[in-house]
Amino acid sequence: MNHTMNSYTTALTTRPASASLTIKDSIVLPPDTNHHGTIFGGKLMAYIDDVATIAATRHARRPVVTASTDSVDFLHPVKEGDAVSLSAFVTWSHKTSMEVFVRVVTEDLLTGARKVCATSFLTFVALGEDGRPTEVPGVLAETDEERLLYDTAAERKEARKIRRGESKHFADFMGTECAVRESKPERKPRRSFNREYESAWEAEW
């Protein structure tokens, strides 16, 4: 009886990484490419965000928002007429946030040659019915690939925390006005008075 209850509890608090696996296939058409005949970086990034959002939502079973695109590394060009296959899954979670890994494989449809053309890590935050961050299940890593990403996720979280702090510092220092040549008097960072919008970007993730 105790074993059954423990298994049931674990099922409620963790989900396999494979349960969030999402795959998206597309063919690169002429409007998708730049003057070099390769896919626009922004187009590929939109694909990445799309497939990662689905994976994060599958894991949380809640609405999610993109908190950060942590990295996008373009490794090989994707040409007109190629197919791109994106696979995404949740690698790790922390309280209300989830890290998602996306791998993009390009395929020459005439020769069958395939290459990993890009990899990406993104962070999502799940939202509750009140629109505020809500807790998400843990991640059960089962394969070697999943365990590698899970075991190294805490290091990437610390790197995100440092980068996020830098971004907040720059945003507060620069404010909302365009930069001008003259030096401006030092000013204290201003905080928003709209406290109803304490969303994912204000949360600790």
Side-chain angles (χ1 to χ4, degrees), residues 8-189:
Y8 182 68
T9 302
T10 300
L12 287 176
T13 56
T14 65
R15 288 185 180 143
S18 58
S20 62
L21 178 63
T22 304
I23 298 174
K24 175 186 179 74
D25 293 323
S26 295
I27 188 168
V28 180
L29 299 174
D32 303 327
T33 61
N34 55 33
H35 60 289
H36 300 295
T38 58
I39 194 170
F40 286 114
K43 182 74 172 182
L44 190 57
M45 290 173 69
Y47 287 162
I48 289 170
D49 190 64
D50 185 33
V51 73
T53 298
I54 295 173
T57 306
R58 279 181 170 160
H59 182 80
R61 293 303 177 190
R62 292 281 187 180
V64 302
V65 291
T66 309
S68 174
T69 299
D70 306 322
S71 65
V72 180
D73 294 306
F74 300 103
L75 306 175
H76 294 283
V78 183
K79 296 176 289 186
E80 179 186 332
D82 285 351
V84 284
S85 179
L86 297 89
S87 58
F89 62 91
V90 175
T91 62
W92 189 75
S93 64
H94 176 72
K95 295 181 181 177
T96 64
S97 66
M98 297 156 284
E99 179 189 77
V100 178
F101 174 69
V102 182
R103 173 175 45 211
V104 186
V105 175
T106 182
E107 178 181 354
D108 184 321
L109 292 174
L110 300 182
T111 67
R114 291 164 58 88
K115 291 181 179 178
V116 177
C117 63
T119 60
S120 180
F121 286 97
L122 303 91
T123 301
F124 289 82
V125 172
L127 301 179
E129 294 179 0
D130 58 356
R132 293 177 57 81
T134 188
E135 290 189 4
V136 296
V139 177
L140 177 62
E142 298 172 304
T143 68
D144 289 343
E145 179 186 50
E146 292 166 2
R147 281 191 288 268
L148 173 62
L149 293 171
Y150 182 92
D151 291 342
T152 55
E155 298 173 12
R156 290 189 295 275
K157 179 182 182 296
E158 287 304 309
R160 279 195 296 272
K161 186 176 181 181
I162 294 171
R163 190 183 67 249
R164 190 174 187 233
E166 291 177 343
S167 295
K168 285 186 173 181
H169 171 73
F170 292 142
D172 287 339
F173 180 79
M174 295 178 182
T176 58
E177 302 299 324
C178 293
V180 294
R181 293 184 182 277
E182 308 88 52
S183 297
K184 292 184 177 180
E186 185 177 350
R187 60 185 180 184
K188 295 182 179 179

